[in-house]
Amino acid sequence: MGVVTAVSRNEEYTFTKPARESITLLAGLGVEGDVHQGVTVKHRSRMAQDPTQPNLRQVHLMHAELFDELRDKGHAVEPGQIGENITTRGIDLLGLPTGTLLHLGSEAVVEVTGLRNPCLQIDGFSKGLLKEVVGKGPDGELVRRAGIMSIVLAGGVVRPGDEIRVELPAHPHRPLEKV
């Protein structure tokens, strides 16, 4: 089991999301009051491609363990600063299969849809950060480490300190891909 360490949202299109005391997840929509809330895509680049695409990026989760690692490499990153809604600790988010359910606190449930594909804006936050969160694996494959995306199945309030329970999907498991 893991824990929520921080929650963030922003009503405007900016790179960072201010930390909050709580956020409310809305089933089928995302984070109440967040610019990325909606049934269809809300990320600018994706809207430009096709604004009718389903929004598979309603809630962005990031593991605090990555922040620890980045800090050791000279990148001071705090929760919400690189755009996530929920910061976690104690769960290998990147190792979860597609379709995993994350029970957040007593009510909210999100379904993991895939990996975040960070953009060049991340280097504007801290020069060289992009190469720390996107790199090559041992077989030359692209490795994305900037968190995971999800959709809201059951709404509810999420706060720092809330427990996270992981419910894996039936086998065969499908590895996460960028969404």
Side-chain angles (χ1 to χ4, degrees), residues 109-179:
V109 180
V110 298
E111 179 180 342
V112 177
T113 56
L115 295 167
R116 176 189 185 191
N117 190 31
C119 65
L120 291 174
Q121 283 185 318
I122 204 164
D123 269 349
F125 176 77
S126 181
K127 188 166 177 56
L129 186 55
L130 183 61
K131 75 177 180 107
E132 298 297 337
V133 298
V134 177
K136 297 283 184 181
D139 297 328
E141 75 280 6
L142 195 59
V143 176
R144 293 172 178 86
R145 302 179 335 121
I148 63 172
M149 307 308 286
S150 64
I151 58 172
V152 181
L153 297 183
V157 176
V158 180
R159 295 177 179 85
D162 281 351
E163 186 177 274
I164 304 169
R165 188 171 53 84
V166 176
E167 183 180 342
L168 295 174
H171 285 279
H173 289 166
R174 293 178 303 139
L176 296 176
E177 296 178 2
K178 73 172 184 161
V179 293

Side-chain angles (χ1 to χ4, degrees), residues 5-34:
T5 61
V7 294
S8 307
R9 70 171 167 78
N10 199 340
E11 302 85 5
E12 301 175 13
Y13 281 106
T14 61
F15 187 70
T16 62
K17 294 183 186 275
R20 308 291 180 160
E21 289 183 18
S22 68
I23 57 173
T24 301
L25 302 187
L26 303 173
L29 294 173
V31 179
E32 182 178 43
D34 192 84

Side-chain angles (χ1 to χ4, degrees), residues 6 26 44 72 84 87 96 100-101 115 118 126 144 158 160 170:
L26 303 173
R44 288 178 177 172
D72 292 344
E84 81 280 4
T87 309
L96 297 173
T100 296
L101 302 183
L115 295 167
S126 181
R144 293 172 178 86
V158 180

Side-chain angles (χ1 to χ4, degrees), residues 2 6 20 25 30 46 48-49 57 62 69 81 101 130 179:
R20 308 291 180 160
L25 302 187
R46 293 169 192 276
Q49 292 171 357
R57 300 166 59 101
M62 181 88 65
E69 183 183 323
Q81 289 185 319
L101 302 183
L130 183 61
V179 293

Side-chain angles (χ1 to χ4, degrees), residues 15-123:
F15 187 70
T16 62
K17 294 183 186 275
R20 308 291 180 160
E21 289 183 18
S22 68
I23 57 173
T24 301
L25 302 187
L26 303 173
L29 294 173
V31 179
E32 182 178 43
D34 192 84
V35 70
H36 295 113
Q37 173 190 328
V39 174
T40 56
V41 293
K42 299 302 176 198
H43 288 76
R44 288 178 177 172
S45 63
R46 293 169 192 276
M47 287 189 316
Q49 292 171 357
D50 177 3
T52 66
Q53 294 176 71
N55 187 1
L56 301 178
R57 300 166 59 101
Q58 293 175 356
V59 181
H60 176 201
L61 296 96
M62 181 88 65
H63 48 298
E65 292 86 351
L66 177 63
F67 297 159
D68 300 338
E69 183 183 323
L70 294 172
R71 197 171 298 111
D72 292 344
K73 294 181 177 186
H75 300 281
V77 180
E78 298 297 326
Q81 289 185 319
I82 54 177
E84 81 280 4
N85 299 111
I86 299 174
T87 309
T88 69
R89 188 169 289 279
I91 294 178
D92 177 13
L93 294 178
L94 303 177
L96 297 173
T98 301
T100 296
L101 302 183
L102 298 176
H103 298 260
L104 306 163
S106 62
E107 298 175 327
V109 180
V110 298
E111 179 180 342
V112 177
T113 56
L115 295 167
R116 176 189 185 191
N117 190 31
C119 65
L120 291 174
Q121 283 185 318
I122 204 164
D123 269 349

